[in-house]
């Protein structure tokens, strides 16, 4: 079967065609599990953080965790299957290097993983909890929202669980369906007391994850799983921090502001290129990075300049985080707006399996929204 | 050990002991690593063994060829360990912890001071002076007996009915009152409802309302203490109702698999608000669940302060020495209502409550023990009652007069530093108050 897997071609429509080197299985078929709906654009090689090494996203996570376990003797990593390296290989080699007391499996229980993690943090050690898929974070919702987020406030700052970081694979992956594709950041955006962070690339992931671990507040770090292998960059091997709650302007523009996070940032980069080429429209692309607390200043400053805002995310549009951005921007920049704020998001359905190519907010939907805003 | 073997016979489970754990009293050897294993995990056979034993990775057991279900035995379940009878007389002298007069008097005074504070604060809620209160009537023995058995550095995670633990550790009446009145002296800065105490100095983690959430947290804290080599234990209190929550299952399982030095202390007081135990569980209480997790377990008479003390002390010693969790189910009775929002006559008889108040109360049982030794008599009782009431009233009046915390504290400690967005909200409230100040009770609050 492994041999067959290599014989995959891609058609223009993005569908995969299996080559019939398989003989008895019959003629080649097209399958709609999309070839990626984006192209990963690596950032320029960082120069300020010392020597770099080629790493994909999961390797950049491993590097961050390795740096942490090395420099912080209290740090522990735990969750389901992290001991052998994790289902996405983010913790490969760490147990051998740092010992079974520091990198260990827990029973299959998300409420336990997060509750346990809170306790580790309260006792003064650095806790890095892994939830196997963001789709399974909900049993831990009570521990996150009612406990972790409120620990410092309710105790008058006598106790806190700032040493806790929760990591979870996030977002669509082509075939993940309802329970391996979710982007639940909006549920947590509504929860004062925690931070929610989503990187777009390996360099960003390592720096943001290290910032979350260093941050004195409980943080949730969502890792775009479709980028684990697909995103490859030169990543500094030494630790470095990328500040939280600071959105990044990836390219400047004058006509439309495009805001996204995670995988969708790469879609937006392509939309910006298409808009320039086909419409002569100059787009400013912003990677929000931190969902909570979010950088209202950078986004508003950009909209004041451009007058048009498009926000895009895979999560369903109703109550999605684009709604919060849209609401704040219209409050702050009402008179600067040339067109209604556009949200290009997932539909209000569970994340479908076979219908993923139609569900996701792809570059064509975003491009069309830009076109409509320009012509408003 | 003997209890466990008896338990095994009751449930028809074969319990094999691999290695010897230290016995209860005074054994000098303590194990650094746990070798005792209920299911004999360590004796799994190699795959090429010729004998016809089960090879499953999930359990080590014999084959059996008779179809027979294990009958859960709740009629004669796990026995209740006690040291004193209901009249405060020692039953087995070798189990008497023989605590000093000073210590026993301290037990008594802390339990009665708590009782006095409860009466006064319950009344103050009824008079509208505080918003809410929960009493500890009948459970004082579980608090004081267990608190006395711990080291001051041991970390306590509570549910909400453990004020006696804090009192035993020395939390002043002023601070109890400050929290209940949510005044400017409250260590918690007035953010929570009454009885949600916390004290960093006394290693008592601040109480939160959601039940059982503290259980997996306590397991995590214990794990951290183990890796930090701190020689500290964690004790985690919860009621028999909270033990039904998923978090309880999570906490027990994690503590056993991850070998945490923790004592789980269940106050089984018969009711979860109005829900009696026969609607809370069908098994043999909470203690019977322990072995299911591979956890050392015991049931004790929670109204016998010495039984609670002995069990907690030994559990603490072994939890730290052997890095394993212990489950103590302290049987007791909730004499008071669930809270000031509850009237328990709606679901239980006054006769039932009176029985426990008059015939089996931790405070009177200890008093009998003390008077039998000539350590306490009517005179002391009278003067202590007067003194303790005076102490409570002084703290009470002081707390009433104190202003509430300054309103800026509404906005602080959400994060370690106030984010920009929240600062803007704070400024907006300030501007609003300047304009509409007469509609807000600002005179009650600190500036």
């Amino acid at each position: 079967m492994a041999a067959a897997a290599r014989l995959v071609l891609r058609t223009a429509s993005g569908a995969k065609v299996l080559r019939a080197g398989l003989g008895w299985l019959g003629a080649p078929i097209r399958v709609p599990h999309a070839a990626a709906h984006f192209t990963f654009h690596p950032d320029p090689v960082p120069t300020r953080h010392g020597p770099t090494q080629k790493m994909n996203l999961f390797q950049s996570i491993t590097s961050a965790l390795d740096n942490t376990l090395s420099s912080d003797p209290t740090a522990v990593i735990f969750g389901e299957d992290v001991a052998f390296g994790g289902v996405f290989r983010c913790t490969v080699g760490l147990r051998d290097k740092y010992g079974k007391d520091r990198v260990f499996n827990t029973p299959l229980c998300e409420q336990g993983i997060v509750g346990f993690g809170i306790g580790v943090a309260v006792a003064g050690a650095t806790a890095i909890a892994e939830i196997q898929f963001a789709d399974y974070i909900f049993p831990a919702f009570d521990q996150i929202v009612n406990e972790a987020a409120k620990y410092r406030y309710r105790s008058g700052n006598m106790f806190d669980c700032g040493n806790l970081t929760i990591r979870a694979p996030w977002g669509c992956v082509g075939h993940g369906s309802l329970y391996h594709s979710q982007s639940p950041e909006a549920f947590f955006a509504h929860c004062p007391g925690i931070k929610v962070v989503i990187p777009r690339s390996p360099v960003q992931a390592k720096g943001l994850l290290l910032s979350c671990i260093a941050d004195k507040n409980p943080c949730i770090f969502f890792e775009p799983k479709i980028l684990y292998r697909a995103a490859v960059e030169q990543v500094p091997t030494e630790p470095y921090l990328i500040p939280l709650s600071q959105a990044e302007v990836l390219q400047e523009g004058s006509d439309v502001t495009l805001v996204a996070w995670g995988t969708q940032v790469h879609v937006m980069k392509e939309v910006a290129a298409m808009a320039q080429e086909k419409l002569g429209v100059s787009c400013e692309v912003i990677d929000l990075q931190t969902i909570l607390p979010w950088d209202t200043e950078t986004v508003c400053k950009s909209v004041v300049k451009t007058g048009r805002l498009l926000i895009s995310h895979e999560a369903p549009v109703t109550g999605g985080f684009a709604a919060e951005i849209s609401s704040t921007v219209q409050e702050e920049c009402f008179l600067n707006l040339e067109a209604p704020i556009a949200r290009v998001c997932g539909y209000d359905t569970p994340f479908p399996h076979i219908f993923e190519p139609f569900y996701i907010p792809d570059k064509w939907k975003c491009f069309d929204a830009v076109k409509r805003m320009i012509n408003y | 050990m003997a209890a466990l073997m008896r338990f095994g016979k009751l449930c028809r489970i074969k319990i094999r002991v691999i290695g010897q754990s230290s016995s209860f009293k005074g054994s000098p050897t303590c194990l650094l690593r746990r070798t005792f294993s209920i299911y004999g995990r360590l004796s799994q056979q190699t795959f090429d063994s010729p004998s016809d034993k089960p090879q499953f990775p999930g359990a080590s057991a014999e084959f059996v060829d008779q179809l027979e279900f294990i009958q859960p035995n709740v009629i004669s379940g796990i026995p209740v360990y006690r040291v004193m009878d209901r009249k405060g007389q020692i039953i087995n002298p070798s189990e008497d912890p023989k605590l000093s007069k000073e210590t026993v008097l301290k037990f008594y005074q802390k339990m009665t001071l708590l009782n006095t504070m409860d009466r006064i604060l319950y009344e103050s809620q009824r008079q509208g002076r505080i918003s809410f209160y929960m009493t500890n009537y009948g459970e004082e023995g579980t608090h004081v007996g267990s608190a006395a058995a711990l080291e001051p550095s041991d970390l306590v995670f509570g549910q909400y009915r453990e004020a006696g633990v804090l009192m035993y550790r020395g939390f002043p009446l002023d601070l109890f009152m400050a929290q209940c009145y949510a005044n400017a002296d409250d260590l918690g800065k007035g953010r929570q409802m009454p009885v949600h105490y916390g004290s960093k100095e006394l290693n008592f983690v601040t109480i939160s309302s959601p039940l059982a959430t503290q259980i997996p947290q306590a397991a995590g804290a214990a794990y951290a203490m183990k890796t930090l080599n701190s020689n500290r234990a964690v004790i985690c209190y919860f009621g028999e109702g909270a033990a039904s929550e998923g978090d309880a299952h999570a906490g027990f399982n994690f503590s056993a698999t991850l070998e945490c030095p923790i004592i789980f202390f269940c106050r089984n007081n018969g009711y979860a608000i109005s829900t009696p135990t026969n609607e809370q569980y069908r098994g043999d209480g909470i203690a019977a669940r322990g072995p299911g997790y591979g956890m050392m377990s015991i049931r004790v008479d929670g109204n016998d302060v010495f039984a609670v003390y002995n069990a907690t002390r030994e559990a603490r010693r072994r939890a730290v020495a052997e890095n394993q969790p212990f489950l103590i189910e302290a049987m007791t009775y909730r004499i008071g209502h669930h809270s000031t929002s509850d009237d328990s006559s709606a679901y239980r008889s006054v006769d039932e409550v009176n029985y426990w108040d008059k015939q089996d109360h931790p405070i009177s049982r200890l008093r009998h023990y003390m008077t039998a030794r000539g350590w306490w008599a009517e005179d002391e009782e009278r003067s202590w009652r007067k003194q303790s009431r005076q102490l409570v009233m002084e703290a009470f009046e002081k707390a009433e007069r104190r202003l509430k915390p300054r309103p800026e504290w509404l906005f602080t400690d959400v994060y370690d530093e106030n984010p920009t967005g929240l600062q803007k909200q704070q400024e907006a409230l300030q501007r609003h108050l300047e304009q509409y100040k007469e509609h807000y009770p600002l005179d009650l609050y600190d500036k």
Side-chain angles (χ1 to χ4, degrees):
Chain A
M1 264 323 185
R6 284 199 284 276
L7 301 170
V8 169
L9 298 177
R10 289 186 163 68
T11 66
S13 68
K16 284 194 248 176
V17 177
L18 300 173
R19 283 267 275 152
L22 306 165
W24 58 275
L25 279 184
I29 60 163
R30 291 169 62 221
V31 292
H33 327 306
H37 62 287
F38 66 97
T39 309
F40 176 72
H41 298 94
D43 284 334
V45 178
T47 48
R48 294 187 299 129
H49 303 297
T52 64
Q53 193 181 305
K54 184 166 126 179
M55 294 186 210
N56 62 27
L57 183 68
F58 76 70
Q59 289 164 335
S60 73
I61 301 292
T62 316
S63 177
L65 297 176
D66 194 348
N67 291 155
T68 302
L69 290 169
S70 167
S71 62
D72 178 352
T74 73
V76 288
I77 301 174
F78 51 90
E80 294 152 22
D81 304 297
V82 301
F84 88 105
V87 293
F88 288 108
R89 317 194 46 65
C90 293
T91 51
V92 168
L94 297 178
R95 186 178 169 94
D96 286 342
K97 194 166 171 187
Y98 295 101
K100 61 180 183 55
D101 290 335
R102 300 188 65 197
V103 181
F104 51 91
N105 291 338
T106 64
L108 210 169
C109 180
E110 287 74 15
Q111 67 193 102
I113 291 169
V114 174
F116 179 89
I118 291 170
V120 170
V122 167
T126 299
I128 303 164
E130 179 176 301
I131 299 293
Q132 199 155 86
F133 283 87
D135 313 57
Y136 309 139
I137 202 165
F138 301 107
F141 202 69
D142 187 40
Q143 286 284 352
I144 293 170
V145 168
N146 265 337
E147 297 289 314
K150 298 172 167 64
Y151 232 87
R152 188 190 295 277
Y153 187 81
R154 75 189 188 200
S155 68
N157 200 23
M158 283 193 285
F159 297 96
D160 70 83
C161 57
N163 292 333
L164 173 65
T165 303
I166 301 166
R167 300 174 34 245
W170 167 103
C172 78
V173 70
H175 56 278
S177 180
L178 282 79
Y179 302 112
H180 299 81
S181 312
Q182 289 178 48
S183 314
E185 65 273 12
F187 292 103
F188 298 100
H190 193 54
C191 180
I194 52 169
K195 297 197 176 181
V196 180
V197 178
I198 307 177
R200 68 170 183 274
S201 73
V203 170
Q204 291 293 307
K206 178 169 169 172
L208 289 170
L209 178 56
L210 286 171
S211 288
C212 286
I213 292 168
D215 196 276
K216 294 182 169 50
N217 302 287
C219 296
I220 302 179
F221 187 76
F222 287 125
E223 301 166 358
K225 65 178 82 68
I226 201 173
L227 298 179
Y228 273 142
R229 289 182 189 271
V232 182
E233 282 180 322
Q234 288 288 332
V235 180
T237 51
E238 292 304 307
Y240 58 97
L241 299 177
I242 293 177
L244 303 183
S245 297
Q246 285 186 27
E248 191 180 339
V249 179
L250 298 184
Q251 75 183 57
E252 290 188 11
S254 51
D255 301 325
V256 182
T257 301
L258 306 177
V259 174
W261 48 91
T263 316
Q264 199 66 7
V265 172
H266 304 287
V267 176
M268 295 308 225
K269 284 189 192 171
E270 284 185 61
V271 172
M274 286 161 71
Q276 183 65 68
E277 190 199 318
K278 297 181 202 291
L279 307 169
V281 162
S282 152
C283 293
E284 182 145 296
V285 179
I286 298 180
D287 176 4
L288 195 63
Q289 294 180 352
T290 301
I291 306 301
L292 182 75
W294 69 281
D295 183 359
T296 55
E297 206 181 306
T298 300
V299 174
C300 289
K301 191 167 145 201
S302 175
V303 177
V304 163
K305 184 172 69 167
T306 64
R308 295 173 193 85
L309 175 62
L310 183 152
I311 315 152
S312 185
H313 57 64
E314 294 165 19
V317 62
T318 298
F321 197 63
E324 160 64 26
I325 298 174
S326 177
S327 194
T328 300
V329 169
Q330 67 86 28
E331 276 174 356
E332 302 290 320
C333 314
F334 185 72
L335 294 174
N336 302 100
L337 289 170
E338 297 291 338
I341 297 171
R343 296 180 290 161
V344 181
C345 303
Y347 301 114
D348 291 331
T349 70
F351 202 106
H353 179 221
I354 211 66
F355 307 112
E356 180 166 334
F358 304 101
Y359 173 90
I360 51 174
D362 61 27
K363 61 191 177 195
W364 299 109
K365 293 180 188 171
C366 294
F367 172 73
D368 193 65
V370 169
K371 206 157 107 173
R372 275 183 275 117
M373 275 199 293
I374 292 295
N375 294 326
Y376 186 77
Chain B
M1 176 80 75
L4 201 53
M5 303 305 282
R6 253 179 280 130
F7 169 70
K9 287 210 176 61
L10 287 174
C11 297
R12 318 239 184 118
I13 298 171
K14 200 147 182 255
I15 295 181
R16 246 180 310 154
V17 175
I18 317 293
Q20 184 64 41
S21 57
S22 34
S23 61
F24 169 66
K25 290 277 287 265
S27 165
T29 50
C30 50
L31 301 171
L32 292 174
R33 291 194 65 81
R34 181 164 55 123
T35 57
F36 178 100
S37 166
I38 289 181
Y39 297 111
R41 188 162 43 88
L42 298 170
S43 69
Q44 200 106 44
Q45 297 178 87
T46 54
F47 280 112
D48 54 1
S49 167
S51 80
D52 186 24
K53 281 179 68 65
Q55 301 291 331
F56 304 111
S60 171
E62 305 284 349
F63 278 122
V64 70
D65 53 32
Q66 293 274 76
L67 175 65
E68 195 172 0
F69 289 100
I70 296 171
Q71 169 91 13
N73 196 329
V74 304
I75 313 288
S76 47
I78 297 175
V80 183
Y81 168 74
R82 66 173 181 174
V83 173
M84 292 186 277
D85 64 17
R86 290 188 187 92
K87 294 278 182 275
Q89 288 167 328
I90 300 289
I91 298 164
N92 178 353
S94 67
E95 297 292 306
D96 182 350
K98 297 195 176 65
L99 298 169
S100 69
K101 176 179 173 186
E102 191 192 339
T103 303
V104 175
L105 254 52
K106 181 178 176 187
F107 282 16
Y108 185 75
Q109 286 170 345
K110 293 290 180 182
M111 290 200 284
T112 48
L113 186 61
L114 174 62
N115 192 277
T116 305
M117 183 179 84
D118 275 352
R119 285 175 205 283
I120 288 169
L121 284 175
Y122 186 90
E123 254 324 291
S124 86
Q125 192 278 341
R126 282 286 174 261
Q127 293 174 19
R129 295 163 187 271
I130 60 175
S131 60
F132 175 81
Y133 193 69
M134 299 176 101
T135 57
N136 301 273
Y137 302 146
E139 299 186 49
E140 299 89 345
T142 61
H143 304 176
V144 166
S146 56
L150 302 169
E151 297 299 310
S153 61
D154 292 338
L155 191 58
V156 176
F157 284 81
Q159 179 168 306
Y160 51 57
R161 219 183 291 278
E162 296 91 13
V165 175
L166 209 41
M167 192 167 268
Y168 189 87
R169 284 191 164 186
F171 199 60
L173 290 170
D174 282 344
L175 290 181
F176 277 111
M177 303 279 176
Q179 199 283 328
C180 289
Y181 275 89
N183 68 30
D185 294 334
D186 177 24
L187 298 178
K189 296 181 185 160
R191 287 161 183 161
Q192 294 217 75
M193 282 168 77
V195 312
H196 289 65
Y197 311 114
S199 167
K200 183 150 185 75
E201 192 191 316
L202 300 177
N203 295 304
F204 189 98
V205 179
T206 303
I207 300 300
S208 73
S209 307
L211 295 183
T213 48
Q214 73 276 18
I215 302 177
Q217 292 172 19
Y223 188 90
M225 283 167 185
K226 181 176 77 165
T227 51
L228 296 170
N229 262 316
S230 59
N231 261 314
R232 297 166 73 187
V234 173
I235 190 164
C236 180
Y237 295 90
F238 52 95
E240 87 285 350
S244 295
E245 281 279 0
D247 272 345
H249 161 71
F252 297 159
N253 201 19
F254 274 56
S255 71
T257 53
L258 300 174
E259 298 175 2
C260 304
I262 182 169
I263 303 156
F264 291 113
F265 194 103
C266 177
R267 295 175 293 95
N268 187 330
N269 64 13
Y271 289 90
I273 307 188
S274 70
T275 306
T277 51
N278 66 7
E279 288 173 13
Q280 195 64 248
Y281 54 75
R282 280 302 151 87
D284 178 24
I286 313 311
R289 300 180 197 169
Y293 294 99
M295 207 164 24
M296 298 291 289
S297 315
I298 193 170
R299 172 172 284 150
V300 306
D301 179 344
N303 290 352
D304 174 347
V305 72
F306 295 141
V308 172
Y309 176 85
N310 285 349
T312 309
R313 191 146 182 81
E314 179 64 1
R316 195 249 171 233
R317 183 187 72 77
R318 291 187 59 187
V320 174
E322 298 163 29
N323 284 318
Q324 64 168 319
F326 278 76
L327 173 61
I328 299 174
E329 184 182 16
M331 309 307 293
T332 179
Y333 187 83
R334 194 196 76 208
I335 291 174
H337 306 299
H338 165 71
S339 72
T340 47
S341 309
D342 176 47
D343 175 7
S344 61
S345 65
Y347 51 82
R348 60 182 183 176
S349 73
V350 171
D351 286 342
E352 179 185 306
V353 178
N354 273 335
Y355 166 80
W356 290 96
D357 197 23
K358 304 279 181 292
Q359 309 292 347
D360 190 346
H361 197 294
I363 292 175
S364 38
R365 280 166 80 175
L366 188 64
R367 187 171 58 243
H368 289 317
Y369 176 89
M370 287 157 56
T371 51
R373 274 154 190 72
W375 291 350
W376 196 259
E378 267 310 303
D379 284 344
E380 282 93 347
E381 180 70 18
R382 226 186 341 259
S383 85
W384 169 244
R385 274 194 203 204
K386 188 162 166 224
Q387 188 193 352
S388 54
R389 192 181 161 78
Q390 206 169 355
L391 287 169
V392 173
M393 287 311 298
E394 268 169 26
F396 174 81
E397 276 148 22
K398 185 172 157 199
E400 283 223 315
R401 285 193 302 268
R402 193 80 177 85
L403 287 174
K404 304 306 179 198
R406 63 184 75 104
E408 286 92 87
W409 285 359
L410 162 59
F411 294 99
T412 54
D413 303 324
V414 179
Y415 296 92
D416 63 327
E417 280 163 16
N418 256 17
T420 331
L422 195 54
Q423 281 172 34
K424 290 201 190 131
Q425 292 174 17
Q426 183 175 351
E427 285 154 20
L429 176 62
Q430 243 157 319
R431 287 191 299 270
H432 177 80
L433 288 176
E434 271 157 38
Q435 234 196 317
Y436 293 90
K437 55 166 95 59
E438 68 271 18
H439 301 290
Y440 294 86
L442 284 162
D443 56 316
L444 297 177
Y445 291 77
D446 219 352
K447 294 289 163 277

